[in-house]
Amino acid sequence: MMDAGRHPNIELMTYTEIENITGYVGNFHVTVRRKARFVDESECTACGDCVPVCPVIRPNEFEMGLSTRRAIYIPFPQAVPAAYLINIDECLGDVPIACGKCLEACDKKCIDFDMKDRIERFEVGAIIVATGLDVFDPTGLDEYGYTRYPNVITSLEFERLISAGGPTEGHFIRPSDRKQPKRIGFIQCVGSRTEISPDGPNPDGSRGHPYCSNICCMNTVKDSLLLKDHYPDTEITVFYMDIRAFGKGFEDLYRSSKEKGVRYVRGLPGKIREDPTTHNLLVTVENTTAGRLETHELDMVVLSVGFVPPEDGHIKKLLTLSNTSDGFLLEAHPKLRPVDAPAKGVFFAGCVESPKDIKDSVTQASAAAARAQRLLNKDRVSVEAITAWVDHDLCTACGICVKVCPYGAITADPKQKIKAVVTEASCAGCGACAAECPQDAIVMRNFTDLQIMAQVEAALAENPEEKTLVFACNWCSYAGADLAGVSRLQYPANTRVVRTMCSGRVDEDFVWRAFELGAAMVLVSGCHFGDCHYMTANHHTQKRVDKMWDRMERWGIRPERLQLEWISAAEGQKFARVMREIEEMRRQVTREEIEETKAIIAKRWRKRRK
Amino acid sequence: MATAGAGKQARFKCLRCGYEYTDVYAPDRERTCPKCRSNSVRRLRK
Ligand SMILES: [Zn+2]
């Protein structure tokens, strides 16, 4: 951090919040609020004379509340810049009669209560999001007694307790009696790898999160080795489900920890009780290796807490980012573009994308920096020839396209009647806008309505009543169908596939036209939720198909004849199975029904089109 | 895009096997028939 602070090409804006981001790749306009520190950071020498005179005492957030700080403080020892700041909400006031003691104590006169927040605007070509993550709060897990028993602490609190720069200056003591604990237990997977259960403390019934937080096992192994180095007579027990020690050198560390006498018990404790006189902890656990119930008396228990995605969705919204089902940010492609956001010119570094350790964070940050550099070195960016454009003769400025675009690439103002404009550098070509546009005013280059309709017509030119027409998205379902083919899986030969970039491109008109031409069955298929190449464009597919089912029922067409399926590129088996199931359904569709449908579509849809 | 009824109980019908069930309506969650695993699950409106 100090290196970054000293680098001539890096401007660090600390104590600053992002107010707004507009624009697109190469041309982002960023507005920030530089919050008033009330201390001139260029003048402050961090002498600390102001601190002892400040009468306001608050828990020190960096020390996890294990020590205190004043209202004028440096957030943590290596903070850049090394200058004090005043939390004005805690400060007794800038009126000298109320307090103002720090003003008198500061020889350099760098405290200024008239300082105001400053709004600054600047332009950047690329943005790297590295906003990190939050730590799981185990207070709701009643069985562990966190906050009820003083000697049950979290792994982060433990980190501060053994740090030489921590609240106890590295003297390892337990909170209840400030004595050095001799018997320590670590409980793994607190808030991680949990199932949703009805008695879970969270609103959704969960006891944490289903994913593995990635670093907690190795953090405990590291802590156990640290303790064994400094306090060799400490008895350490680790309660775990599985120890996940993948990564270079990690297995060696794990083995070394066991060799030094750390005991690993396979099983997570069901309950912790406290001896009220000694404040020692009685931990009940089912040792699943030995197959017996055990009770361990320990002086201190460390909860190895997992990670949760950061709660602030502000940046996510400003950059039109999306997240995976675990709440962390969704990358453009999990294997091929792991540090790119789906929005062009935006990259990820660190735990905002998923929980990771320091080494992985540094690797990803270096990759993100290189990706951004590569972009900034270019004079112009090229886009694929599949972007959208708006025919202003047809556009009525309704603004629907603005709402469905996952990339925020379209601007329009229904109130001012300003027609839609596509920022092509931001457009990824999913076609959700074109499918939703009630005026058909949006044209997708190389996937135009005319081109897709022509494919529908060609596919159903002969014996349409014997065909099942499939709309398959380029990235998942089409690849899944392809896999079924190359794997020589049997599926009905009357399947006709029309490829669109995204299932979100499938316009209602394509489906009605297929039925008008006499198709017996139609399948719309796309990527699984969370896998969509265009972030959430497939959510619009589900909503649209829902609407079409309702319409079919109103019109007197069996909704079953339109099917929807999420098929990934790896699910060749699923594609073949779905097509076989749909073929069963197709056999039930009579010629009379098809003729009736054709008449209904001709009447209802053609009338609407006019 | 906000969707009406999100987070509330709704009736669903599988258009593959015909199974009907009640669940929370979550427009941002993939729908799968609990009986036949099909995604052709229609949200019924009354
Ligand atoms: Zn079903």
Side-chain angles (χ1 to χ4, degrees):
Chain A
M1 195 160 173
M2 286 201 208
D3 282 349
R6 279 197 288 257
H7 197 285
N9 288 346
I10 298 175
E11 186 186 352
L12 265 188
M13 293 189 178
T14 58
Y15 212 45
T16 299
E17 280 176 8
I18 304 282
E19 293 267 301
N20 197 16
I21 302 173
T22 57
Y24 50 91
V25 55
N27 298 284
F28 291 110
H29 311 285
V30 183
T31 309
V32 297
R33 175 180 294 273
R34 307 208 60 175
K35 290 162 66 172
R37 298 175 72 98
F38 302 99
V39 177
D40 184 343
E41 61 189 77
S42 58
E43 289 294 317
C44 176
T45 56
C47 66
D49 289 348
C50 52
V51 177
V53 297
C54 177
V56 179
I57 296 175
R58 287 282 178 275
N60 185 328
E61 296 87 352
F62 180 70
E63 300 292 0
M64 307 300 296
L66 295 168
S67 70
T68 57
R69 61 162 177 82
R70 304 299 167 107
I72 186 162
Y73 67 111
I74 293 182
F76 56 95
Q78 284 87 28
V80 177
Y84 280 85
L85 66 88
I86 295 173
N87 183 327
I88 205 69
D89 297 332
E90 296 166 354
C91 177
L92 290 183
D94 53 353
V95 189
I97 302 158
C99 180
K101 291 196 171 74
C102 53
L103 273 173
E104 291 165 26
C106 181
D107 275 347
K108 295 208 72 179
K109 302 288 166 222
C110 41
I111 297 170
D112 175 9
F113 281 112
D114 293 328
M115 225 179 244
K116 295 264 178 316
D117 289 1
R118 291 195 324 269
I119 301 292
E120 286 184 16
R121 292 179 184 83
F122 52 91
E123 297 201 355
V124 294
I127 292 174
I128 297 175
V129 183
T131 46
L133 42 62
D134 290 330
V135 176
F136 177 75
D137 176 7
T139 313
L141 301 177
D142 206 41
E143 67 272 31
Y144 293 150
Y146 177 69
T147 66
R148 215 165 61 240
Y149 307 144
N151 295 325
V152 176
I153 63 170
T154 68
S155 42
L156 244 77
E157 289 164 346
F158 177 84
E159 215 60 50
R160 297 316 306 154
L161 277 181
I162 53 166
S163 167
T168 56
E169 292 168 341
H171 298 291
F172 183 47
I173 54 170
R174 66 175 194 168
S176 70
D177 51 13
R178 303 184 67 80
K179 283 188 186 143
Q180 188 197 321
K182 296 283 180 201
R183 298 164 300 178
I184 299 168
F186 286 85
I187 300 177
Q188 295 308 107
C189 293
V190 176
S192 306
R193 302 179 67 201
T194 63
E195 298 279 327
I196 288 178
S197 69
D199 61 335
N202 290 347
D204 64 349
S206 68
R207 311 173 56 75
H209 295 269
Y211 52 83
C212 167
S213 289
N214 194 336
I215 71 142
C216 333
C217 283
M218 287 321 294
N219 188 53
T220 293
V221 170
K222 184 244 342 172
D223 285 341
S224 74
L225 285 167
L226 209 65
L227 280 177
K228 281 287 182 189
D229 276 349
H230 292 297
Y231 312 96
D233 57 338
T234 313
E235 289 172 28
I236 304 171
T237 313
V238 178
F239 303 98
Y240 72 101
M241 280 198 264
D242 317 284
I243 291 292
R244 299 191 162 181
F246 59 89
K248 196 173 180 177
F250 288 2
E251 190 65 25
D252 290 343
L253 284 176
Y254 175 40
R255 199 176 304 129
S256 156
S257 153
K258 285 202 277 194
E259 280 164 7
K260 289 192 172 164
V262 177
R263 197 176 160 216
Y264 286 82
V265 173
R266 191 172 185 278
L268 294 183
K271 186 138 194 84
I272 299 180
R273 284 167 297 139
E274 188 196 48
D275 181 332
T277 48
T278 61
H279 291 293
N280 287 348
L281 302 158
L282 298 161
V283 177
T284 312
V285 62
E286 184 194 354
N287 183 333
T288 57
T289 312
R292 61 168 180 253
L293 205 63
E294 295 175 354
T295 298
H296 297 249
E297 187 175 347
L298 302 169
D299 301 330
M300 180 189 246
V301 166
V302 180
L303 304 178
S304 204
V305 284
F307 295 132
V308 294
E311 222 166 69
D312 177 26
H314 180 55
I315 300 276
K316 205 174 99 179
K317 213 166 154 188
L318 288 177
L319 291 170
T320 60
L321 303 174
S322 172
N323 49 254
T324 34
S325 57
D326 55 12
F328 292 95
L329 290 183
L330 174 75
E331 61 281 61
H333 190 283
K335 296 182 195 103
L336 304 176
R337 291 169 66 202
V339 301
D340 295 33
K344 287 177 202 160
V346 182
F347 306 93
F348 302 141
C351 295
V352 74
E353 183 260 329
S354 67
K356 51 177 72 71
D357 65 5
I358 296 169
K359 182 184 167 181
D360 284 355
S361 297
V362 171
T363 309
Q364 196 185 25
S366 306
R371 295 285 292 162
Q373 189 112 45
R374 194 168 152 258
L375 175 72
L376 296 179
N377 280 340
K378 287 194 241 177
D379 291 335
R380 46 183 68 219
V381 294
S382 48
V383 292
E384 275 201 80
I386 53 170
T387 50
W389 68 274
V390 183
D391 183 343
H392 278 189
D393 290 341
L394 297 175
C395 178
T396 57
C398 69
I400 291 174
C401 52
V402 178
K403 289 184 195 152
V404 299
C405 178
Y407 299 89
I410 310 178
T411 48
D413 192 339
K415 279 189 197 133
Q416 308 272 341
K417 285 281 159 209
I418 296 173
K419 294 180 178 182
V421 175
V422 178
T423 304
E424 289 195 45
S426 303
C427 174
C430 65
C433 56
E436 290 290 332
C437 177
Q439 309 302 325
D440 287 339
I442 299 184
V443 180
M444 299 308 300
R445 289 192 173 86
N446 291 308
F447 283 88
T448 64
D449 284 8
L450 276 176
Q451 286 172 316
I452 295 172
M453 284 295 199
Q455 290 180 65
V456 171
E457 284 157 17
L460 299 171
E462 284 173 30
N463 306 329
E465 65 286 347
E466 289 171 12
K467 305 273 164 61
T468 293
L469 190 72
V470 180
F471 292 99
C473 81
N474 178 65
W475 305 98
C476 291
S477 302
Y478 194 80
D482 198 30
L483 180 65
V486 295
S487 310
R488 315 231 167 150
L489 300 172
Q490 294 292 313
Y491 67 86
N494 58 352
T495 304
R496 293 292 178 274
V497 183
V498 173
R499 182 176 68 105
T500 55
M501 289 310 287
C502 176
S503 61
R505 171 70 183 102
V506 181
D507 200 309
E508 276 194 47
D509 290 345
F510 305 159
V511 176
W512 304 142
R513 179 68 178 140
F515 283 129
E516 188 185 47
L517 291 168
M521 296 291 297
V522 174
L523 167 67
V524 176
S525 64
C527 307
H528 285 281
F529 277 38
D531 283 352
C532 180
H533 199 80
Y534 304 102
M535 295 197 278
T536 53
N538 60 348
H539 296 193
H540 299 300
T541 314
Q542 181 161 279
K543 284 176 203 161
R544 196 177 310 130
V545 170
D546 249 339
K547 253 186 357 201
M548 285 194 270
W549 280 328
D550 291 345
R551 192 159 281 158
M552 287 169 86
E553 189 168 75
R554 274 204 307 279
W555 287 355
I557 305 171
R558 277 193 305 128
E560 284 80 0
R561 289 178 56 200
L562 172 61
Q563 293 279 306
L564 175 69
E565 211 64 53
W566 311 117
I567 300 171
S568 81
E571 290 179 318
Q573 295 268 11
K574 180 176 180 181
F575 180 82
R577 174 178 57 78
V578 165
M579 292 324 300
R580 286 194 299 269
E581 286 172 7
I582 293 176
E583 174 58 9
E584 285 300 310
M585 298 174 84
R586 189 201 63 82
R587 288 172 198 271
Q588 311 301 317
V589 184
T590 60
R591 282 184 189 252
E592 293 75 56
E593 186 177 353
I594 287 172
E595 289 307 319
E596 198 185 322
T597 303
K598 282 161 102 172
I600 292 170
I601 297 280
K603 193 174 140 212
R604 300 280 201 151
W605 176 56
R606 283 287 166 198
K607 202 167 84 188
R608 264 183 72 220
R609 297 273 300 165
K610 270 176 200 156
Chain B
M1 219 179 157
T3 305
K8 295 199 178 105
Q9 294 278 318
R11 284 297 285 172
F12 294 93
K13 184 185 179 187
C14 173
L15 297 186
R16 187 74 50 81
C17 73
Y19 182 66
E20 281 193 36
Y21 63 98
T22 306
D23 197 0
V24 175
Y25 174 55
D28 297 337
R29 207 171 61 204
E30 192 171 307
R31 275 182 232 157
T32 304
C33 169
K35 222 173 135 190
C36 76
R37 314 306 298 163
S38 165
N39 303 124
S40 293
V41 177
R42 180 182 172 204
R43 176 192 176 203
L44 298 173
R45 291 162 198 261
K46 275 281 147 319

